[in-house]
Amino acid sequence: MNEQAETLLAQTGWPADDPRLLSLLPMVYMAWASGDLDAGEAGIIRERMERLDWSAKAKRGVAERWLDPQSPPGASELRSLLSVVRLLSPELPKITRLTLADLGIEMAQSAGAADWATPEVCEALAAVEEALGVDASEACHELLVPEGKRPEVDEEEPAAAFDVGVMTRLLGGAYRDVRIEVLNLLRQPGFRYVYGSDRATYRERVFGWMQELARHGLGATSYAEEYGGTGDVGRFIAVFETLGFHDLSMAVKFGVQFGLFGGSINLLGSDRHRDKYLRQVGTLELPGCYAMTEAGHGSNVRDIGTVARFDAGSDEFVIHTPNGRARKVYIGNAALHGRMATVFAQLEIGDVGFGVHAFLVPIRDESGEVCEGVRIQDSGEKQGLNGIDNGTIWFDQVRIPRDNLLDRFATVDKDGNYTSPIVSDSKRFFAMLSTLVGGRISVAAVALSAAKSGLAIAIRYGARRRQFGPPGAPETLLLDYRTHQRRLMPPLATAYALDFAIKHLVRSFLAHRENRSREVETLAAALKAYATWNTVRTLQVCREACGGAGYMAVNRLASLKADTDVVTTFEGIVTRIADQSHLRDREF
């Protein structure tokens, strides 16, 4: 034993007459360094020390002096013990740094205690170490590495271990070109984020973004070429999905304007409706709404209360909200920008009801003034999506031309005669609602985009942010902790699985657009539900994985969480068939 170590031991009172006792020194130090000992813990360590078949008196002396919870060693004494370990260990083989017991044995042998570490002694020392309940390798590292400033680390993001371009092309799928086009557009300065805006400013910014998207022809994508589009619904879904990487208010308002309002004209109307309105919808000259949901009949579309009565004398439909439960609620674009609404109402001709049909109803004139008989109320502040002007709409005997009935599935002539190519009321109703399948697919896709954004933020943060780590070494990356990996990697794997599933669903949907497929409709409903629930769970995990940084608005997780919570609700159309004798055809 060197002179400096002997001096330190003498100052602390550690017995220096038996070098074998040095085998206990690393474990005694760690017993206190890892936290205060209580009587129970000290008793277990003492009991296991008694298994050492040598120098009972010396062992008791160590136990009484250094393992007494009533008289713990002082900070300076512990520091001296640590110094002794570091003085005696530099020349020891690295193999001895695997456990505290091995380290102690080598220290004792280097101080002159040779040929005493029998298998029984080694087993007994290992039992003492086990009683400490510490990570052996980490404890050895803490003992042996001198304290001081941690080494500098290279903060530059390492190069990817795979070809990013190839991966991008693979994940882009059949519509990778339009995804790239949209992403390049969103990188333009005009689309930059501005935090802390009031609701009115935010709404106008989102509307400006919408105008820019329309100017690039993205809104009309799913419409036929004569209306400014490409006739490719899959391309429209890809645009909508990609917008979800940027701002969810913009994405949802885009879906309301071009997908729901424009889509209802395109899919539920006839050529005269498309010729008159669709190009204006695609260029955003005609902002519109999709007024289906009512206060008393959210998902139960069959029983909505708004009425559309045919007046043969004037050749008009009269749209009316008969009571408060029939008011249209949460209608996007209604509070500020919308000038026309696709209104779902119960068609009545004389004393006969023909069920739910869709009508085009002006709600504002070209100057932005609310039309006569229409009342609109702003929905106000919401949990999220405050860039969308949701509103409530009432109709008081509002008259519209007979031609404003979207008549793909049913027509009414000037004499009030009702005709439909679908005989069954139930089949007609479900055929009308089947046009919403694309909306469900789009919601699943945009929800997944938000989850992907959150995962990209959290995983990149985990690959850069460092926390804790052994002394003398760089702090450990968050993503190198197994618990961090177990939190983020399963949601990442789920995101890939959902991406492939949604792409498969889109292909199936496009293949069966002309012939309704119950399988596609079922998959769309199921994936919409699962994908949106998964997004809510995933974003919470991502927020927590980023610690306090995840709570800051500038890091986007707060807005992603707030804006996606409602996706579990909308497009959740539930159709309930009552047990009524006149509904003979149940094959929907």
Side-chain angles (χ1 to χ4, degrees), residues 424-474:
S424 165
D425 290 346
S426 297
K427 280 191 172 181
R428 187 184 316 112
F429 174 71
F430 278 89
M432 179 180 65
L433 291 190
S434 70
T435 60
L436 297 173
V437 172
R440 284 192 186 143
I441 297 172
S442 298
V443 170
V446 83
L448 180 59
S449 293
K452 291 175 183 176
S453 294
L455 285 165
I457 293 166
I459 292 172
R460 176 167 288 182
Y461 182 79
R464 292 179 173 179
R465 174 75 154 84
R466 295 176 179 271
Q467 185 88 315
F468 304 112

Side-chain angles (χ1 to χ4, degrees), residues 30 100 129 134-144:
M30 288 306 303
L100 294 172
E129 179 174 3
V134 297
D135 182 280
S137 60
E138 188 173 321
C140 284
H141 194 89
E142 182 177 338
L143 277 167
L144 300 176

Side-chain angles (χ1 to χ4, degrees), residues 107-369:
M107 288 174 57
Q109 289 179 338
S110 70
D115 302 327
W116 62 281
T118 64
E120 291 76 17
V121 168
C122 294
E123 184 178 343
L125 287 171
V128 175
E129 179 174 3
E130 182 183 15
L132 297 177
V134 297
D135 182 280
S137 60
E138 188 173 321
C140 284
H141 194 89
E142 182 177 338
L143 277 167
L144 300 176
V145 176
E147 295 176 349
K149 185 178 179 181
R150 294 183 184 273
E152 296 293 330
V153 295
D154 185 3
E155 297 294 345
E156 185 174 344
E157 188 171 350
F162 56 88
D163 190 319
V164 176
V166 171
M167 179 67 84
T168 301
R169 289 192 294 275
L170 173 65
L171 296 178
Y175 293 100
R176 66 178 67 91
D177 60 331
V178 73
R179 298 179 200 277
I180 293 171
E181 177 187 350
V182 174
L183 288 173
N184 287 336
L185 178 60
L186 296 177
R187 293 188 183 101
Q188 300 303 311
F191 283 90
R192 71 183 184 278
Y193 292 111
V194 178
Y195 297 97
S197 299
D198 60 81
R199 189 169 72 248
T201 302
Y202 186 18
R203 287 175 171 181
E204 290 306 319
R205 182 179 302 116
V206 169
F207 190 68
W209 288 343
M210 290 274 292
Q211 290 174 316
E212 187 66 9
L213 295 172
R215 191 175 70 81
H216 282 79
L218 296 174
T221 298
S222 64
Y223 311 153
E225 290 186 15
E226 57 263 40
Y227 307 118
T230 63
D232 191 339
V233 177
R235 190 175 180 85
F236 178 84
I237 294 174
V239 171
F240 183 65
E241 175 188 3
T242 309
L243 293 177
F245 290 118
H246 182 64
D247 181 277
L248 270 297
S249 284
M250 177 187 68
V252 173
K253 194 175 177 78
F254 182 93
V256 168
Q257 169 68 22
F258 304 114
L260 291 177
F261 176 56
S264 64
I265 296 173
N266 192 32
L267 298 175
L268 299 180
S270 57
D271 284 343
R272 71 172 182 279
H273 298 115
R274 287 185 281 271
D275 293 342
K276 186 174 182 178
Y277 298 113
L278 208 51
R279 180 171 287 276
Q280 295 179 61
V281 173
T283 59
L284 204 58
E285 293 175 59
L286 179 61
C289 312
Y290 189 80
M292 175 181 280
T293 303
E294 294 184 357
H297 308 90
S299 297
N300 182 16
V301 180
R302 181 186 290 279
D303 292 329
I304 59 175
T306 302
V307 178
R309 295 188 181 91
F310 181 63
D311 182 352
S314 62
D315 199 25
E316 294 173 320
F317 289 104
V318 181
I319 311 298
H320 186 64
T321 304
N323 52 58
R325 297 180 71 245
R327 67 189 186 275
K328 300 294 184 179
V329 293
Y330 319 131
I331 308 303
N333 270 0
L336 190 63
H337 297 127
R339 290 200 289 112
M340 179 173 282
T342 296
V343 177
F344 289 81
Q346 302 285 354
L347 171 60
E348 294 182 359
I349 303 175
D351 296 328
V352 181
F354 291 88
V356 177
H357 291 68
F359 303 83
L360 292 177
V361 183
I363 58 173
R364 287 185 177 86
D365 60 25
E366 293 186 3
S367 65
E369 294 297 318

Side-chain angles (χ1 to χ4, degrees), residues 28-49:
V28 168
Y29 172 81
M30 288 306 303
W32 291 105
S34 60
D36 292 338
L37 282 178
D38 59 33
E41 293 168 336
I44 293 173
I45 296 172
R46 285 175 176 173
E47 183 273 326
R48 296 190 180 185
M49 283 174 60

